[in-house]
Amino acid sequence: MSTAQQQRICSEWEPINKSEYRGIWVYIEHANGVIKEGSLQLIGKARELAGKLGDADVTAVMLGYNLGDLVKEPIYYGADKVIYIDNPVFSKYIPHVYAEAIVYLARKYKPEIILFAGTKRGRELAPYVANSLRTGITADCTDLDVDPKTRDLDQVRPTYGGNMLAHIRTPTRRPQLASVRPNVFPTPPRDTSRKGEVIREEFNEVIDPRGPGLVEVRSVVKGDELPPVEKSDIVVVAGKGVGGPDGVKLLTELAKELGGTIGGSKKVVDAGWLPSDRQIGQTGKTIRPTLYIGVGVSGAIQHIFGMKESRIIVAINSDPNAPIFQYVDYGVVGDYKDVVTKLLELLRNRKKG
Amino acid sequence: MKEGLTIVVPVKAGVPNITAVRFDPVTHNIVREGVPLMLNPYDRNALEFALRLKDKYGGKVITLSMAPPSGKDFLESTVGMGADEAYLITDRVFAGADTLATSYTVARTIQKLFPNFDLIVFGEETTDSTTAHMPAQVASWLELPYVYYAVDAEVDVKNGMIRVTRYLEDEGVYEVYEYKLPVIISVYKNSNPPRDISLNRKIQARLSGLVKSVTNNELKLDTFCVGLRGSPTIVAKLEEAKPIERKKQIFKGSPEEAAKWLLENLVKEGVIKA
């Protein structure tokens, strides 16, 4: 280890002693008193990694204002410790301010691993934190493992259009950072009898007074509009085969009944039957819901690219030779209108009965 | 008083997904030399964002990219779209860089060549690496505020202030940030549909040498901070992604039976509550 440290490194990196770094951190994202599912899932994964390392704690890191009892929640999901800062400075989310606070805590406590949920905000914060600590980071991992001998984190992510999986390591620097896609790991059970340590930290760093920061927040999710395709566990996707806006309307009913959302293939979006932010595929969104139902979707490879990691894939299509049937768990050959209408009927009867 | 805005748009030459990619057998890094490169499509949204600000407030838009010498070609297309100048950062010592080393090279180059920049505008991510690291990492090197997923901005040139509107797709929320310039922005990939590339301007760019190359002779960056040596991450292993095994059960029959069969299976799989 000492020879590695004596090796010449970038003049802007501080030399580090790897053995001083211990423990796994999970950055806890929360809003309106609720912790994001992706963060809870990482506590579960961190627990497993800590078990493999033998002598590592799982610590949840939280920033916020008036956090109250929320700071105990990570313990119930498996964390050994919570380190938090409760300060008016965090009443508004400002990326560089949040990132600097995490950097400050990481410098003080020296964790060997820091995990972020790969939400929009998580993916914004994590690289700044890694960079300021002069260490490596891997984005959007789909799996994680540790090597108990070297204590290196094995960070697995799809690359080059999803055809390859890269295993990325940070052998010479600590901490090791990764963001992880939500929903790749299960949420651990909540156990309120679990006990752990809760540590309050202060943050007195001077914040660069470069403006008021966040000045306005506007919510755009209207009451009657279904959630964005990336956010939903169940996505019903309309293909060209649904014939027009009426077909999309029928599928939207199905999506609502299932508690999911509606998406479309490129052809459907190009035809103007759905807005472009609902397009699934290589030039649209990549989704990995629990359930994908493609209706009248033929299954062009560009579309498959955007949904092939869904847990269960269902297709309804009148053409038995449609390529999508190569990718399904359950396929129905038939007229979609009849099948979907019957399916809706069954679902509604179930609710009544 | 300064006139207009100086906007730097770092762009990336991506390897198209359809290209048969080769990997270096030792470093597992993708081989970019001799591969046809294309401008990362989301960088065009970023360039459009920058050009709209220039149209409104005046100033100039400068694109820059770290790439092999063949990158000159796609930088000409950024001039074709409307950039005023373009810079190709190209040197063997920069090869094999991960995002930390790349962001270092880009950040220090911007400081050296355009110390009075007002804005750095990035695309949301690249289609070939999809890390979205660069904007935050460059912000960290330059110690500047930054905001991802921007869809729009208004500038108060006189007071050097900017109001950035950004869209958080997963929360369905718009947020507005106000900062003193300079700041770093990354542009939401589904916003700012890019204008066409003018072939005339592209040819003009070539004829008048609007794309300039910069090597480490000029930049004089510590060679331990760049390229492979400045990269803390290594690709330890690359493997073919195994497609998820599918059950491929196909049902043919009456709509009633089909609907019943589907529902039963989805309940059995636990994806619909029993």
Side-chain angles (χ1 to χ4, degrees):
Chain A
M1 187 160 290
S2 59
T3 49
Q5 281 163 42
Q6 282 153 15
Q7 264 173 27
R8 167 99 154 76
I9 56 169
C10 171
S11 48
E12 305 208 28
W13 297 5
E14 297 159 39
I16 58 147
N17 181 353
K18 272 169 72 175
S19 60
E20 287 174 4
Y21 290 76
R22 276 291 179 272
I24 306 176
W25 278 16
V26 176
Y27 172 70
I28 302 292
E29 199 180 323
H30 59 91
N32 308 317
V34 180
I35 295 173
K36 295 279 175 72
E37 208 69 13
S39 302
L40 296 175
Q41 291 159 354
L42 285 181
I43 297 176
K45 188 64 187 182
R47 209 34 308 136
E48 183 196 317
L49 298 175
K52 282 191 186 171
L53 287 173
D55 55 346
D57 280 347
V58 175
T59 301
V61 176
M62 293 177 87
L63 306 172
Y65 184 47
N66 289 332
L67 283 166
D69 275 349
L70 196 64
V71 297
K72 292 181 195 153
E73 283 297 317
I75 308 265
Y76 302 154
Y77 286 90
D80 300 301
K81 245 188 254 173
V82 178
I83 298 174
Y84 74 98
I85 306 176
D86 196 307
N87 188 311
V89 118
F90 302 117
S91 60
K92 285 178 177 178
Y93 172 83
I94 300 170
H96 71 286
V97 174
Y98 267 60
E100 287 287 359
I102 303 165
V103 170
Y104 162 78
L105 291 175
R107 286 221 169 94
K108 179 163 178 179
Y109 286 90
K110 294 186 167 52
E112 58 196 308
I113 293 170
I114 310 179
L115 305 178
F116 291 80
T119 59
K120 295 285 173 192
R121 292 185 205 269
R123 295 192 66 186
E124 178 178 49
L125 288 177
Y128 188 103
V129 174
N131 203 88
S132 296
L133 297 168
R134 308 290 189 253
T135 186
I137 169 160
T138 305
D140 233 8
C141 293
T142 52
D143 203 4
L144 295 173
D145 201 356
V146 281
D147 181 338
K149 275 199 212 106
T150 60
R151 304 180 80 89
D152 282 350
L153 182 66
D154 185 27
Q155 302 150 38
V156 186
R157 74 185 302 258
T159 186
Y160 305 114
N163 302 318
M164 307 290 284
L165 283 180
H167 292 252
I168 296 170
R169 292 185 179 214
T170 311
T172 60
R173 301 293 291 177
R174 293 292 183 266
Q176 311 163 83
L177 278 79
S179 68
V180 181
R181 290 189 189 180
N183 301 326
V184 299
F185 303 125
T187 307
R190 182 172 185 264
D191 175 1
T192 51
S193 68
R194 275 189 55 93
K195 297 272 179 289
E197 195 185 345
V198 177
I199 303 164
R200 181 175 178 145
E201 274 289 336
E202 299 300 326
F203 186 59
N204 302 315
E205 302 284 290
V206 179
I207 307 293
D208 185 8
R210 298 180 50 85
L214 179 63
V215 292
E216 193 186 328
V217 181
R218 288 196 309 269
S219 176
V220 288
V221 179
K222 296 178 216 91
D224 59 341
E225 202 182 297
L226 294 173
V229 286
E230 285 169 319
K231 212 185 167 185
S232 202
D233 283 341
I234 297 179
V235 183
V236 179
V237 175
K240 191 77 191 292
V242 303
D246 283 348
V248 174
K249 221 168 133 189
L250 179 66
L251 296 189
T252 306
E253 273 181 60
L254 178 62
K256 270 188 194 159
E257 197 59 42
L258 291 168
T261 199
I262 183 88
S265 70
K266 184 171 189 302
K267 281 180 178 167
V268 161
V269 169
D270 286 349
W273 304 342
L274 275 172
S276 65
D277 61 355
R278 296 197 174 271
Q279 184 190 323
I280 312 298
Q282 195 156 16
T283 53
K285 305 289 174 61
T286 303
I287 54 168
R288 40 187 9 260
T290 324
L291 174 60
Y292 164 100
I293 305 181
V295 183
V297 175
S298 64
I301 190 71
Q302 290 84 352
H303 181 74
I304 301 299
F305 175 86
M307 48 62 88
K308 63 179 167 26
E309 286 176 62
S310 307
R311 188 157 93 67
I312 297 288
I313 295 178
V314 170
I316 304 171
N317 201 306
S318 55
D319 176 7
N321 299 317
I324 195 157
F325 286 124
Q326 300 301 311
Y327 303 92
V328 298
D329 294 290
Y330 303 100
V332 170
V333 179
D335 186 287
Y336 87 88
K337 255 185 219 158
D338 298 339
V339 179
V340 171
T341 307
K342 286 292 164 203
L343 192 57
L344 265 171
E345 227 174 83
L346 287 178
L347 287 166
R348 285 173 180 154
N349 285 341
R350 262 162 42 107
K351 246 181 212 167
K352 279 184 216 148
Chain B
M1 205 197 85
K2 67 183 293 165
E3 280 187 26
L5 300 166
T6 301
I7 308 172
V8 181
V9 184
V11 297
K12 187 183 179 191
V15 176
N17 278 334
I18 37 159
T19 313
V21 290
R22 270 193 316 125
F23 297 93
D24 184 306
V26 179
T27 63
H28 301 298
N29 282 327
I30 194 165
V31 176
R32 289 173 195 277
E33 283 81 5
V35 175
L37 300 172
M38 61 167 233
L39 177 58
N40 168 45
Y42 306 142
D43 291 345
R44 292 193 61 194
N45 301 88
L47 186 49
E48 177 65 33
F49 185 99
L51 290 170
R52 287 183 192 183
L53 289 179
K54 180 195 153 181
D55 292 346
K56 226 163 139 183
Y57 305 106
K60 64 177 175 178
V61 172
I62 302 153
T63 56
L64 109 179
S65 186
M66 189 176 102
S70 57
K72 232 177 176 162
D73 196 51
F74 83 90
L75 276 171
E76 281 162 3
S77 55
T78 65
V79 178
M81 214 176 120
D84 298 279
E85 308 164 34
Y87 288 81
L88 178 69
I89 313 169
T90 189
D91 200 306
R92 289 297 305 169
V93 293
F94 300 144
D98 72 0
T99 60
L100 183 89
T102 304
S103 65
Y104 179 79
T105 311
V106 169
R108 295 290 177 247
T109 301
I110 291 173
Q111 275 182 314
K112 279 202 178 163
L113 299 183
F114 327 105
N116 298 316
F117 72 89
D118 297 295
L119 267 172
I120 304 176
V121 180
F122 284 91
E124 180 172 332
E125 60 182 25
T126 61
T127 50
D128 66 345
S129 334
T130 65
T131 68
H133 282 173
M134 214 44 54
Q137 287 182 316
V138 169
S140 158
W141 287 117
L142 300 179
E143 296 178 354
L144 289 178
Y146 68 108
V147 169
Y148 276 29
Y149 324 114
V151 293
D152 198 8
E154 282 169 53
V155 182
D156 175 349
V157 181
K158 201 169 134 237
N159 295 310
M161 294 291 293
I162 188 165
R163 263 176 91 90
V164 183
T165 304
R166 61 108 156 240
Y167 178 52
L168 288 165
E169 188 173 48
D170 55 354
E171 298 176 22
V173 159
Y174 284 97
E175 292 180 336
V176 180
Y177 287 84
E178 238 177 65
Y179 290 118
K180 195 171 177 304
L181 295 168
V183 294
I184 295 179
I185 288 169
S186 93
V187 174
Y188 176 55
K189 62 190 175 191
N190 293 313
S191 70
N192 296 271
R195 61 194 68 182
D196 289 339
I197 295 168
S198 144
L199 192 60
N200 252 338
R201 270 194 64 102
K202 194 178 164 180
I203 293 167
Q204 209 50 50
R206 177 160 300 183
L207 294 178
S208 30
L210 285 182
V211 181
K212 298 178 187 71
S213 290
V214 195
T215 67
N216 207 33
N217 283 337
E218 294 109 87
L219 296 172
K220 298 191 170 47
L221 302 178
D222 177 353
T223 56
F224 280 84
C225 301
V226 300
L228 210 53
R229 284 195 290 201
S231 300
T233 62
I234 56 159
V235 182
K237 194 168 74 175
L238 260 182
E239 58 189 12
E240 200 91 27
K242 285 184 272 319
I244 300 167
E245 287 279 325
R246 295 294 172 188
K247 298 191 177 73
K248 289 190 193 170
Q249 295 186 23
I250 308 290
F251 189 91
K252 291 174 191 168
S254 74
E256 287 89 348
E257 289 166 338
K260 225 178 126 204
W261 174 80
L262 254 186
L263 192 56
E264 274 168 13
N265 279 302
L266 296 182
V267 170
K268 199 178 72 196
E269 294 280 1
V271 291
I272 292 184
K273 284 198 182 76

